[in-house]
């Protein structure tokens, strides 16, 4: 029976591209319905697509395998952005007010938009992790409603090279398959953190280290806020290639690493220098040499991890310690090596996620955690509903086909080849699927364009209000300084902007300006003096 309600996620890993389909159950768990994978070594490097054609072929193969198991068509997928160029940079937006003003959501939105508009040559902002806002001397998560004359908004922008997102979109267009609407800004390390870390760990402060094939990702959290993210271009494959330098084939080097390599070995003065590791007679390597190779490369990776923790500025504030995950954690004695090199005593090894799984068995060795995390992040139903086909009566024609041949499926009742008919049916089905996906994509792009136009209009309106408020504040300053003509000009300019909610304020301030101008004019000053003289005369009488 075909499944019609499921979520599909795809992980673009450096060693393999993996796909998974699952259904979210009422109790919060996920039922795994189908899984598939393809080798990615010839199309993805350091977590980034470099061969579009081969990646498209792999994605197409994975989609077909999943559809075969599900017995349903897939219309959209969840794909997380990741890879070597992914990292975070800090940015600060500051606003000064002439007098204490209540912070509005409008002002906060303006600060966020200003942050998004910051140009970063060669990169694009994939996501933003807002930090605390500095209001006066206080750091506040939600400053709306607070009175102040100065606000400092701090942002952590998650960036990547422009081609990272573009190449994923190009491959999906070629499959064709649609990326789920709420997955456009889905960032793989953030999804992984949500699935692996506990709320307590995020709040207390921790570092999550994902040891992958070509990359190692470091994410630092404190007070439930992402503080730092970096992808180190080193992983388990670097250890394998180092072993290959000893004239060993890559496949054998990987097998030697898995079977004999250890991340940490206690020093032993009596160690046999002639000890060797043999791989079923195919190759061998000196035990001490293998230990030295693994230790040197792993120490380099761990030193880079430590450096990123220091760069975050939170190295002494991680009360929950470190959580390590990914396929690289399966290296023997990895825990000991991590603690010895990073000096982080508190360590948790996450071989699976916090997500409860049912259905198909998923290997719990850390290598599937990102895939499960992307599946858990999905919300939209990914099933493509195909139009119902009208039932056709079989053609009645005289043939020499026997009933037995029809029964075993060699021919259709109208005398056509069953294989050819099935092939034609599959071709039409694929054409219909492509047409539906193309239509959905066109509708989505039209909706996106409309939303973008609305957003531009709203931004223009918001900017007009902010500019109007700035003119009013400037008019108040000029009024207090006695520059009444300049203040009046600012108010006239503000009125021309036609901001309805500011009209009453403008009128009130204008009356004050005109009154003060009149009182401080030449005739006004003479009138004051006359009144003073008259007052003195009356007092003397």
């Amino acid at each position: 029976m075909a499944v019609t309600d499921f979520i599909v996620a795809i992980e673009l890993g450096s060693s393999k591209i993996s796909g998974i389909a699952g259904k979210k159950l009422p109790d919060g768990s996920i039922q795994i319905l189908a899984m598939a994978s393809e080798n990615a070594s010839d199309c993805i490097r350091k977590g980034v697509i470099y061969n579009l054609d081969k990646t498209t072929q792999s994605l197409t193969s994975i989609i077909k395998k999943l559809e075969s198991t599900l017995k349903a068509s897939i219309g959209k997928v969840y794909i997380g952005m990741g890879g070597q160029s992914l990292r975070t940079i800090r940015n600060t937006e500051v606003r000064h007010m002439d007098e204490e003003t209540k912070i509005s959501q409008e002002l906060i939105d303006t600060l966020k938009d200003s942050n998004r508009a910051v140009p970063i040559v060669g990169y694009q902002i994939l996501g933003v992790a807002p930090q605390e806002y500095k209001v006066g001397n206080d750091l506040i998560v939600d400053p709306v409603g607070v009175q102040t004359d100065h606000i400092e908004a701090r942002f952590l922008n998650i960036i990547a090279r422009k081609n990272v997102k573009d190449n994923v979109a190009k491959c999906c267009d070629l499959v064709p398959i649609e990326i789920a609407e709420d997955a456009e800004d889905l960032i793989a390390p953030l999804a992984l953190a949500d699935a692996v870390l506990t709320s307590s760990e995020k709040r207390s402060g921790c570092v999550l280290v994902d040891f992958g094939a070509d990359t190692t990702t470091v994410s630092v959290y404190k007070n439930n806020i992402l503080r730092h993210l970096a992808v180190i271009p080193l992983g388990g494959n670097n250890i394998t290639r180092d072993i290959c330098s000893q004239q060993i084939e890559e496949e054998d080097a990987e097998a030697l690493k898995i079977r004999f390599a250890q991340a940490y070995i206690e020093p032993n003065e009596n160690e046999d220098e002639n000890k060797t590791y043999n791989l079923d007679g195919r190759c061998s390597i000196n035990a001490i040499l293998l230990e030295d190779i693994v230790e040197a490369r792993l120490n380099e990776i761990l030193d880079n991890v430590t450096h990123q923790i220091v760069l975050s500025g939170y190295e002494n504030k991680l009360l929950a310690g470190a959580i390590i995950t990914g396929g690289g954690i399966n290296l023997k004695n990895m825990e000991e090596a991590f603690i010895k090199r990073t000096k982080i005593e508190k360590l948790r090894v996450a071989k699976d996620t916090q997500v409860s799984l049912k259905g198909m068995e998923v290997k719990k060795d850390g290598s599937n955690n990102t895939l499960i995390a992307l599946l858990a992040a999905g919300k939209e139903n990914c099933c493509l509903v195909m139009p119902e086909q009208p039932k056709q009566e079989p053609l009645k024609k005289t043939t020499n086909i026997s009933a037995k041949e029809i029964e075993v499926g060699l021919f259709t009742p109208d005398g056509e080849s069953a294989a050819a008919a099935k092939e034609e049916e599959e071709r039409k089905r694929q054409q219909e699927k492509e047409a539906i996906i193309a239509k959905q994509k066109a509708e989505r792009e039209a909706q996106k364009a409309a939303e973008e136009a609305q957003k531009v209009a709203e931004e223009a309106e918001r900017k007009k209000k902010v500019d109007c408020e700035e003119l009013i504040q400037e008019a108040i300053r000029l009024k207090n300084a006695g520059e009444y003509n300049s203040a009046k000009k600012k108010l006239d300019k503000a009125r021309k902007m036609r901001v309805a909610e500011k009209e009453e304020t403008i009128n009130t301030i204008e009356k004050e300006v005109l009154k003060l101008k009149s009182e401080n004019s030449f005739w006004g000053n003479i009138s004051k003096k006359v009144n003073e003289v008259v007052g003195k005369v009356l007092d003397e009488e």
Side-chain angles (χ1 to χ4, degrees):
M1 183 178 176
V3 185
T4 57
D5 181 15
F6 53 81
I7 296 169
V8 177
I10 291 178
E11 180 191 2
L12 301 175
S14 301
S15 61
K16 64 179 180 178
I17 301 175
S18 304
I20 190 169
K23 181 178 181 178
K24 291 189 175 180
L25 302 177
D27 63 359
S29 63
I30 299 178
Q31 182 181 2
I32 306 301
L33 303 171
M35 292 184 71
S37 64
E38 291 285 333
N39 180 40
S41 59
D42 57 352
C43 58
I44 295 179
R45 289 178 185 160
K46 308 292 183 185
V48 178
I49 296 171
Y50 76 90
N51 188 312
L52 296 178
D53 289 342
K54 289 183 178 179
T55 303
T56 301
Q57 290 172 9
S58 296
L59 286 174
T60 302
S61 175
I62 287 171
I63 294 296
K64 286 184 176 179
K65 287 178 182 177
L66 293 175
E67 286 181 334
S68 176
T69 304
L70 294 168
K71 294 181 173 55
S73 296
I74 298 170
K76 62 184 74 170
V77 296
Y78 282 84
I79 299 180
M81 299 298 124
Q84 179 178 353
S85 67
L86 193 72
R87 61 188 178 91
T88 54
I89 58 170
R90 295 183 176 94
N91 182 47
T92 303
E93 296 289 328
V94 179
R95 291 290 184 276
H96 297 281
M97 282 75 79
D98 291 324
E99 60 182 26
E100 284 211 345
T101 307
K102 186 171 72 173
I103 298 173
S104 64
Q105 186 60 50
E106 184 178 270
L107 175 59
I108 298 300
D109 291 341
T110 302
L111 290 167
K112 289 179 178 179
D113 291 340
S114 298
N115 171 67
R116 277 276 190 178
V118 173
I120 307 170
V121 180
Y123 286 79
Q124 67 180 139
I125 297 176
L126 297 182
V128 180
Q131 311 293 288
E132 296 93 345
Y133 294 84
K134 188 175 182 182
V135 180
N137 294 320
D138 299 323
L139 292 175
I140 304 173
V141 174
D142 182 11
V144 175
V146 178
Q147 287 276 128
T148 186
D149 60 356
H150 172 90
I151 182 170
E152 187 178 294
R154 299 173 178 182
F155 299 99
L156 192 68
N157 293 326
I158 304 164
I159 65 171
R161 291 195 182 278
K162 291 182 177 180
N163 65 341
V164 170
K165 193 172 182 179
D166 292 343
N167 285 351
V168 172
K170 287 175 184 176
C171 289
C172 287
D173 285 343
L174 293 170
V175 171
I177 196 73
E178 192 178 358
I179 298 175
E181 189 172 354
D182 61 334
E184 291 189 345
D185 296 322
L186 183 58
I187 299 168
L190 270 60
L192 177 64
D194 289 340
V196 169
L197 301 179
T198 65
S199 58
S200 175
E201 287 169 336
K202 280 188 176 183
R203 184 178 61 256
S204 300
C206 68
V207 56
L208 172 64
V209 185
D210 180 19
F211 292 97
D214 273 355
T215 59
T216 299
T217 305
V218 181
S219 308
V220 177
Y221 282 84
K222 180 68 175 179
N223 294 334
N224 291 315
I225 298 174
L226 176 70
R227 304 297 182 171
H228 184 74
L229 177 98
V231 178
I232 301 165
L234 295 170
N237 286 345
N238 293 91
I239 298 175
T240 302
R241 284 190 282 271
D242 289 346
I243 299 172
C244 288
S245 66
Q246 302 302 309
Q247 309 303 315
I248 297 173
E249 292 292 332
E250 186 169 346
E251 185 179 338
D252 292 335
E254 180 68 17
L256 284 169
K257 181 184 75 174
I258 293 171
R259 188 179 298 184
F260 303 112
Q262 296 186 60
Y264 177 77
I265 297 176
E266 288 286 351
N268 182 6
E269 294 180 359
N270 299 321
E271 189 173 2
D272 183 3
E273 295 182 0
N274 297 317
K275 182 182 177 181
T276 59
Y277 293 126
N278 292 291
L279 195 65
D280 303 327
R282 297 198 305 272
C283 63
S284 63
I285 187 171
N286 179 270
I288 296 176
L289 177 60
L290 179 64
E291 291 165 9
D292 290 343
I293 289 173
V294 174
E295 182 182 18
R297 180 61 74 178
L298 186 59
N299 284 346
E300 181 187 11
I301 295 171
L302 293 176
D303 287 346
N304 274 277
V305 169
T306 304
H307 178 63
Q308 290 301 326
I309 296 171
V310 172
L311 281 180
S312 75
Y314 286 84
E315 68 271 24
N316 297 320
K317 302 174 185 177
L318 306 179
L319 302 182
I323 295 86
I324 59 174
T325 189
I329 63 173
N330 295 296
L331 197 61
K332 294 182 184 71
N333 299 331
M334 187 64 173
E335 297 171 58
E336 290 85 347
F338 188 93
I339 293 170
K340 290 280 185 184
R341 200 69 184 181
T342 65
K343 309 301 181 187
I344 298 176
E345 296 293 334
K346 194 170 184 178
L347 177 66
R348 178 169 71 87
V349 179
K351 293 200 171 185
D352 59 355
T353 66
Q354 304 289 321
V355 182
S356 177
L357 303 178
K358 297 178 181 179
M360 292 180 66
E361 189 69 26
V362 178
K363 197 173 182 182
K364 294 181 179 180
D365 61 355
S367 61
N368 290 311
N369 284 355
T370 299
L371 184 62
I372 296 299
L374 294 174
L375 181 65
K379 295 179 179 66
E380 297 180 18
N381 182 10
C382 296
C383 181
L384 179 67
V385 180
M386 301 288 285
E388 290 187 11
Q389 297 293 334
K391 293 182 179 179
Q392 296 181 349
E393 293 294 329
L395 297 175
K396 294 180 180 179
K397 54 191 278 186
T398 305
T399 66
N400 294 323
I401 307 301
S402 68
K404 183 66 177 176
E405 288 174 314
I406 294 175
E407 184 182 345
V408 297
L410 296 176
F411 295 93
T412 64
D414 60 2
E416 298 291 337
S417 166
K422 186 176 181 181
E423 187 177 329
E424 178 65 17
E425 183 182 346
E426 179 62 26
R427 187 183 66 80
K428 287 182 179 179
R429 178 179 169 279
Q430 184 64 21
Q431 286 179 341
E432 288 173 356
K433 178 182 175 181
E434 290 175 4
I436 292 170
I437 291 175
K439 183 182 177 183
Q440 289 178 345
K441 185 180 178 184
E443 290 173 350
R444 184 178 169 189
E445 288 177 350
Q447 182 183 356
K448 193 174 180 181
E451 289 173 354
E452 190 63 32
Q454 184 180 355
K455 187 178 178 182
V456 170
E458 289 174 352
E459 172 59 24
E461 184 64 25
R462 183 163 58 244
K463 188 176 186 305
K464 186 170 74 169
K465 289 178 181 178
V466 171
D467 292 345
C468 183
E469 179 62 31
E470 288 178 355
L471 286 169
I472 292 172
Q473 294 298 324
E474 180 64 14
I476 293 171
R477 188 188 68 78
L478 292 168
K479 179 197 73 170
N480 295 336
E483 299 179 33
Y484 306 117
N485 289 332
S486 297
K488 180 68 167 59
K489 287 178 181 178
K490 293 291 182 183
L491 291 170
D492 290 341
K493 200 170 180 181
R495 182 177 282 111
K496 287 179 181 178
M497 300 182 82
R498 299 185 183 280
V499 180
E501 55 262 45
K502 299 293 182 181
E503 283 294 331
E504 187 177 346
T505 304
I506 293 170
N507 291 335
T508 302
I509 298 170
E510 186 177 52
K511 286 178 183 177
E512 293 176 5
V513 169
L514 293 174
K515 182 182 177 183
L516 289 169
K517 181 181 177 183
S518 175
E519 290 173 352
N520 291 280
S521 65
F522 174 77
W523 292 108
N525 288 329
I526 289 177
S527 177
K528 279 182 184 178
K529 288 181 180 179
V530 170
N531 289 333
E532 287 174 3
V533 171
V534 171
K536 286 180 180 180
V537 171
L538 291 173
D539 288 340
E540 289 174 359
E541 291 179 355

